[in-house]
Amino acid sequence: RSRVLDPNRRLILRVVPEQEPPATNPRQKQPSLSPEKPFAPAPPVIFRLSNGIKVEYFNRPSLPLMTVDLSLMGGSALDPQAKLGRAEMTAEMLDEGAGKLSANEFQNALDQIGASFAAGADNLTTSASISALSSKFDAAMDLYADAVLRPRFDSTEFNRLRRTTVADLIQEKDEVYTGFRKGAAREYFGRSRRCVRAVSGTSGTGQ
């Protein structure tokens, strides 16, 4: 008669060697701090272009990257009450087609050189920036110039972006934190202050 081991009736015995507990817990010992290194950032080289724009140039030759950031005075605080969100929408349209390139072509051109472009607005300023490898500086600046100086403001892309923005603004109404933050700013600064205006506008002004 054969016997088969029943796994549900077996006994598993584990033997653990007895050890004396350590006198101190090694986790309670904090690691020693490294000596502080002096931090002395290099000041920027400041100059002006022929058109009067002020440039602050920070140079770190050890990094093979370049970033250009353009900041213009004037943001959502200057939007008319009936057109809240105009500054933000204008900034977001900069890379939705520029120069001779459509929106998709512009994005593909950025991808081909590994560059990233961003633009937006806050209450006081409107900004646009581009980042790329230093070896792609010239190609990146050509795209950057098109976006900043020659945006196409294509009606099809504008309508698509407007629909997306309105949908996001409607969804924000269900977000408790967003409503609390905006309400707290209005109560603290005053409802009539331009600094509490919604940068992206409202679902009504976005229509």
Side-chain angles (χ1 to χ4, degrees), residues 50-195:
S50 58
N51 57 8
I53 292 180
K54 179 182 177 181
V55 178
E56 295 183 359
Y57 175 57
F58 295 84
N59 184 24
R60 294 185 64 182
S62 58
L63 295 179
L65 301 173
M66 55 77 62
T67 297
V68 177
D69 190 358
L70 174 67
S71 181
L72 304 174
M73 297 303 297
S76 63
L78 300 180
D79 290 345
Q81 184 64 34
K83 296 182 178 180
L84 295 179
R86 184 175 64 178
E88 174 72 7
M89 183 73 72
T90 301
E92 291 186 0
M93 283 294 297
L94 294 182
D95 61 345
E96 298 294 341
K100 297 180 180 180
L101 303 178
S102 65
N104 290 334
E105 291 171 341
F106 186 86
Q107 187 58 56
N108 290 336
L110 288 173
D111 294 341
Q112 288 177 3
I113 62 174
S116 60
F117 178 89
D122 56 25
N123 291 111
L124 300 178
T125 62
T126 300
S127 61
S129 65
I130 193 168
S131 298
L133 292 173
S134 301
S135 59
K136 303 297 183 180
F137 177 81
D138 292 339
M141 286 305 297
D142 288 340
L143 294 173
Y144 188 64
D146 280 342
V148 174
L149 301 176
R150 294 174 289 275
R152 299 179 67 169
F153 293 118
D154 181 76
S155 59
T156 301
E157 300 298 338
F158 174 78
N159 291 329
R160 177 189 58 79
L161 182 60
R162 181 174 59 179
R163 289 192 300 269
T164 303
T165 301
V166 170
D168 291 340
L169 291 172
I170 293 175
Q171 185 178 0
E172 277 188 359
K173 295 180 180 180
D174 297 329
E175 297 177 359
V176 177
Y177 172 76
T178 301
F180 172 79
R181 177 174 54 82
K182 292 181 178 180
R186 288 193 297 267
E187 293 300 322
Y188 183 82
F189 294 104
R191 295 176 178 270
S192 61
R193 298 291 297 274
R194 290 178 177 266
C195 62

Side-chain angles (χ1 to χ4, degrees), residues 10-65:
R10 63 181 176 174
L11 175 65
I12 299 176
L13 179 64
R14 294 186 175 92
V15 179
V16 180
E18 184 177 357
Q19 295 181 350
E20 293 293 333
T24 59
N25 188 345
R27 295 184 178 181
Q28 295 179 347
K29 182 180 178 181
Q30 297 182 355
S32 57
L33 299 178
S34 302
E36 294 185 3
K37 296 182 179 180
F39 177 69
V45 177
I46 301 176
F47 59 93
R48 290 187 179 274
L49 301 179
S50 58
N51 57 8
I53 292 180
K54 179 182 177 181
V55 178
E56 295 183 359
Y57 175 57
F58 295 84
N59 184 24
R60 294 185 64 182
S62 58
L63 295 179
L65 301 173

